[in-house]
Amino acid sequence: MASAKLIHSPIGPLTLVEEGGALREVRFGEILTGEMLCDTPVLLQAARELEEYFEGRRQIFSVPLAPRGTPFQLKCWNALRLIPYGETRTYGQQAEAIGQPKASRAVGMGNHRNPLPIFIPCHRVVGKNGTLTGYAGGLEMKETLLTLERMNRHDPAQDQDCLHNGPCHGK
């Protein structure tokens, strides 16, 4: 049975869903669909990592992830995880990254079905001319996440120091 934790974040309430020792889903809002509310080690880790992310102290997530999707969707989501913190790519660039340069629309649909927003950063994908396009949480939320990352971008090697010594301000 899946477990869930409701958290409050700067972008609003989020529902974290864990099953089998890995984070399976992040939902915008307080939405339960039969999961048991509890604090599992994975849910506590995911909540802590999100808090660090929103504070600008985490660029890379380490919580185990287990998104469910088609082989094509999984390929799209794996490519999303390769986009560095604070950077963006176009749907065309993502399509090229998965070896299907003519599949930018299919990539967009794959991203739309991403069950783990923020952890799998579909907010880092933009339109061909750099414009913000679709995001499950809305374009305002997408812009908020991108702005947060641009403001807090630093060398990921500093993450460990930031976690132990307070905010990192190097860009």
Side-chain angles (χ1 to χ4, degrees):
M1 174 179 217
S3 300
K5 179 171 182 60
L6 304 175
I7 66 166
H8 296 282
S9 78
I11 59 170
L14 299 172
T15 302
L16 308 177
V17 179
E18 178 253 334
E19 188 172 35
L23 193 63
R24 189 186 81 204
E25 194 174 348
V26 174
R27 300 177 190 141
F28 295 113
E30 294 181 355
I31 303 166
L32 295 173
T33 58
E35 299 87 9
M36 182 174 64
L37 277 175
C38 63
D39 287 337
T40 68
V42 167
L43 291 172
L44 290 171
Q45 179 184 355
R48 183 180 63 253
E49 289 186 12
L50 277 175
E51 181 179 332
E52 293 164 355
Y53 170 83
F54 286 117
E55 291 173 351
R57 297 185 299 128
R58 177 171 292 277
Q59 293 184 15
I60 298 169
F61 295 103
S62 61
V63 66
L65 304 179
R68 293 181 180 168
T70 67
F72 179 79
Q73 289 169 338
L74 293 171
K75 204 189 240 190
C76 290
W77 303 336
N78 285 332
L80 288 171
R81 295 180 74 191
L82 299 176
I83 302 171
Y85 179 95
E87 296 184 19
T88 59
R89 299 291 183 271
T90 66
Y91 292 97
Q93 289 170 319
Q94 186 185 356
E96 287 175 17
I98 66 167
Q100 298 186 3
K102 296 184 189 253
S104 58
R105 284 191 175 196
V107 162
M109 289 307 299
N111 290 357
H112 177 70
R113 300 206 185 284
N114 174 13
L116 289 162
I118 305 171
F119 290 94
I120 298 178
C122 52
H123 62 276
R124 295 182 189 153
V125 182
V126 297
K128 184 165 49 171
N129 59 1
T131 58
L132 296 185
T133 57
Y135 187 64
L139 294 182
E140 185 176 321
M141 188 180 300
K142 184 173 188 168
E143 177 61 33
T144 297
L145 294 172
L146 291 173
T147 300
L148 171 90
E149 291 185 6
R150 281 192 299 267
M151 288 174 38
N152 293 304
R153 188 163 182 214
H154 62 274
D155 180 357
Q158 293 179 350
D159 273 355
Q160 205 58 24
D161 289 337
C162 294
L163 293 175
H164 297 297
N165 301 320
C168 285
H169 298 289
K171 303 284 191 241

